[in-house]
Amino acid sequence: MSVSAMTPAEFEQALRAKGAYYHIHHPFHVAMYEGRASREQIQGWVANRFYYQLNIPLKDAAILANCPDREARREWVQRILDHDGSPDEEGGLEAWLQLAEAVGLGRERVLSTEMVLPGVRFAVDAYVNFARRANWKEAASSSLTELFAPQIHQSRLDSWPQHYPWIDPSGYAYFRTRLGQARRDVEHGLRITLEHYTTREAQERMLQILQFKLDVLWSMLDAMSMAYELERPPYHTVTRTPVWHRGIEL
């Protein structure tokens, strides 16, 4: 016996309920906004998260490459400009590099991605590869973790200046900018999702896709927690040298 599809309102509610698994609840992130993170932990998070930021335009370019809908492309391409910037203004990647400098990291070191932990690299690469292989609407809908992003950006703006006075305030520009951009992106992504997934089977698949994206974000913090909280980076029982790969074509 087939199960009837959720109404658009019920489906949106089910999507938003996934916020219970958003990485704002991960202990590593909780420690950051409660002021319990060390300088090394903040720096490690900024350097590793940059790898995610660096790959967001690649993910969005993959969606565009698979998308036959001109109107959808015209709207989606703004996400690439938001991160890469345009001839008239710098984008989110530059703002993140300014955050890196604000927490005491060298720009070139962050750009080299030499600090990126293998667990973070594998998680991010899995997300980009999914976007390349998936139906463009499924890949677009996977971005709906943005439903919960304004809360996480605001939590940093509210708590970090108080708890970490050593961070240069100029570094917070990325979070302020993304507050508005994320809300705009949610409207577009949610519209695509609610229009596309109209059967119960498709809706359940989309909820699994969103869970996959949540798994990516949570796994990134698991890797950082092992390295920077438990002091168990890869190969810690063998060497203290960061011998893991720094990025190769596989």
Side-chain angles (χ1 to χ4, degrees):
M1 181 178 177
S2 62
V3 181
S4 60
M6 288 179 270
T7 66
E10 291 171 337
F11 187 31
E12 180 175 346
Q13 183 178 10
L15 292 167
R16 292 185 180 278
K18 285 290 187 179
Y21 310 107
Y22 192 50
H23 63 164
I24 195 172
H25 304 296
H26 192 286
F28 193 91
H29 192 276
V30 171
M32 285 197 295
Y33 71 69
E34 287 185 350
R36 294 184 284 108
S38 68
R39 184 183 297 254
E40 179 194 22
Q41 289 163 358
I42 295 287
Q43 291 178 337
W45 177 80
V46 170
N48 277 270
R49 178 77 184 193
F50 180 72
Y51 188 68
Y52 178 85
Q53 305 301 136
L54 197 62
N55 277 274
I56 291 300
L58 302 184
K59 176 268 296 183
D60 289 324
I63 292 172
L64 289 176
N66 292 330
C67 177
D69 186 324
R70 178 170 178 263
E71 290 306 314
R73 292 198 306 269
R74 284 159 60 96
E75 198 163 351
W76 201 272
V77 73
Q78 183 60 48
R79 297 172 184 242
I80 296 178
L81 298 175
D82 287 344
H83 281 79
D84 282 343
S86 66
D88 298 325
E89 60 182 14
E90 298 289 355
L93 288 177
E94 175 59 28
W96 197 273
L97 288 170
Q98 291 171 8
L99 171 63
E101 292 177 320
V103 301
L105 291 171
R107 171 182 292 250
E108 293 305 318
R109 188 181 185 196
V110 174
L111 277 169
S112 74
T113 72
E114 68 180 49
M115 294 177 65
V116 178
L117 297 162
V120 171
R121 194 179 294 274
F122 291 151
V124 174
D125 289 354
Y127 181 41
V128 175
N129 287 332
F130 168 78
R132 287 172 174 156
R133 298 193 312 267
N135 172 287
W136 78 269
K137 291 180 180 178
E138 292 187 343
S141 297
S142 71
S143 297
L144 274 182
T145 47
E146 291 163 336
L147 284 166
F148 324 117
Q151 180 185 4
I152 209 168
H153 295 316
Q154 191 64 58
S155 74
R156 294 162 187 155
L157 290 169
D158 290 342
S159 63
W160 281 29
Q162 172 188 352
H163 295 310
Y164 311 110
W166 53 271
I167 298 177
D168 189 324
S170 64
Y172 297 129
Y174 177 87
F175 304 136
R176 287 193 295 269
T177 301
R178 282 303 296 167
L179 280 173
Q181 291 175 347
R183 293 187 179 100
R184 179 207 64 208
D185 292 346
V186 163
E187 291 180 9
H188 186 211
L190 193 58
R191 186 167 71 250
I192 291 172
T193 301
L194 295 179
E195 290 175 358
H196 178 62
Y197 301 93
T198 56
T199 68
R200 187 57 175 252
E201 181 181 9
Q203 290 168 341
E204 293 293 346
R205 174 169 172 74
M206 177 51 222
L207 290 170
Q208 283 299 305
I209 290 171
L210 184 55
Q211 187 62 57
F212 159 71
K213 175 62 183 307
L214 291 163
D215 292 349
V216 166
L217 297 173
W218 196 273
S219 296
M220 289 170 61
L221 288 179
D222 279 348
M224 287 183 250
S225 185
M226 287 291 292
Y228 305 125
E229 287 188 312
L230 301 181
E231 298 185 358
R232 293 181 179 181
Y235 309 108
H236 68 280
T237 58
V238 179
T239 177
R240 302 303 297 182
T241 304
V243 297
W244 54 84
H245 72 290
R246 304 298 201 282
I248 54 174
E249 292 295 328
L250 296 174

